[in-house]
């Protein structure tokens, strides 16, 4: 929290706006404590004098981007979070978080790149690995079959990623070739054993989230799986996830995964939708509310 004043000041400067004239919405993680919410609202109102503040859960904002109020949000950025929501309320018993996600995919890819004599160790170089991941990796529909095909014909899996557009240090490779890592690095999302982890895999977590919802809403939840985050953009991810979840439910249940092409920014899109609703100012904590009621004002948010 000590870094927030400088970060917010930088954001307002980059946007070239005077915060005094604006109402501010902040996307927050599910596990943000009440104390941190209070501190954040206090900072925005007392230090930046904004007109009012709305803190909203990131998963809910992602769901709003699909114009839905009920569904299961699967958010995979650097990490993974699954949040079931019914009629705008989070089903706490079904929320799941794991430390693995896009970062774990990139780390796995980097290991295969190291085996190919490429070296990426610094924080900046890790960004290059992330770029290589986004350009070359995919999720196999059947990992064992894909691995067998790779063993028979490795050359057919080779992909070259062009890095020449970046300002690279002298001696750094401008073209990077990948092969096995293209599909092996992402497999851990669906089968954590590939990464050597004993954590539950994404399909198991998603199925558990659906089961945590009221029984009469589970069919709807199976039809309302909403993806968020850049890692979910990996080719083949949607089809593989749908296939594995379909195998975990009865044949009479339809599994539908909503995958907006703009899901890299779904929380932002949802925030834009919420901010444009007539009720937006009513769900915010205004300057007056905060100064009259203080930390108690947070209670207006469920």
């Amino acid at each position: 929290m000590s870094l927030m004043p400088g970060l917010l000041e930088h954001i307002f400067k980059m946007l070239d706006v005077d915060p005094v004239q604006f109402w501010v919405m902040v996307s927050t993680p599910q596990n943000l404590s009440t104390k941190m919410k209070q501190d954040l609202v206090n900072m925005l109102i007392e230090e930046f004098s904004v007109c009012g503040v709305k803190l909203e859960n990131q998963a809910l904002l992602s769901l709003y981007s699909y114009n839905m109020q009920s569904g299961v949000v699967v958010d995979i950025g650097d990490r993974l979070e699954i949040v079931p929501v019914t009629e705008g309320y989070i089903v706490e018993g079904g929320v799941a978080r794991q430390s693995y996600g896009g970062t774990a995919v990139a780390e796995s890819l980097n290991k295969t790149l190291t085996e190919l004599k490429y070296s990426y160790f610094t924080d900046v170089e890790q960004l290059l690995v992330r770029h290589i991941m986004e350009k070359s990796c995919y999720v196999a529909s059947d990992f064992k079959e894909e691995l067998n095909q790779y063993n028979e014909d490795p050359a057919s899996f080779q992909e070259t990623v062009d890095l020449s557009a970046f300002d690279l240090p002298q001696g750094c490779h401008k073209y990077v070739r990948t092969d096995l890592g293209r599909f092996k690095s992402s497999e851990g999302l669906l089968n954590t054993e590939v990464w050597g982890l004993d954590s539950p895999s994404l399909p198991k977590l998603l199925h558990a989230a659906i089961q945590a919802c009221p029984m009469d809403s589970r069919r709807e939840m199976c039809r309302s799986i909403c993806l968020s985050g850049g890692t979910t953009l990996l080719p083949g991810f949607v089809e593989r996830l749908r296939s594995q979840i379909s195998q975990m439910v009865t044949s009479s249940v339809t599994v539908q995964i909503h995958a907006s092409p703009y899901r890299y920014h779904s929380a932002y899109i949802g925030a834009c939708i919420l901010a444009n609703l007539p009720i937006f100012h009513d769900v915010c904590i205004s300057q007056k509310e905060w100064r009259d009621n203080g930390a108690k004002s947070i209670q207006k948010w469920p």
Side-chain angles (χ1 to χ4, degrees), residues 108-123:
S108 179
L109 175 62
N110 201 11
K111 289 179 182 178
T112 64
L113 291 175
T114 300
E115 294 171 359
L116 294 171
K117 310 303 180 185
Y118 298 104
S119 298
Y120 298 105
F121 299 111
T122 68
D123 290 343

Side-chain angles (χ1 to χ4, degrees), residues 137-141 190 232-242:
C137 289
Y138 65 94
V139 176
S141 58
L190 289 306
T232 66
L233 287 164
L234 290 173
F237 177 81
V238 174
E239 294 78 9
R240 174 73 177 278
L241 182 59
R242 183 191 299 116

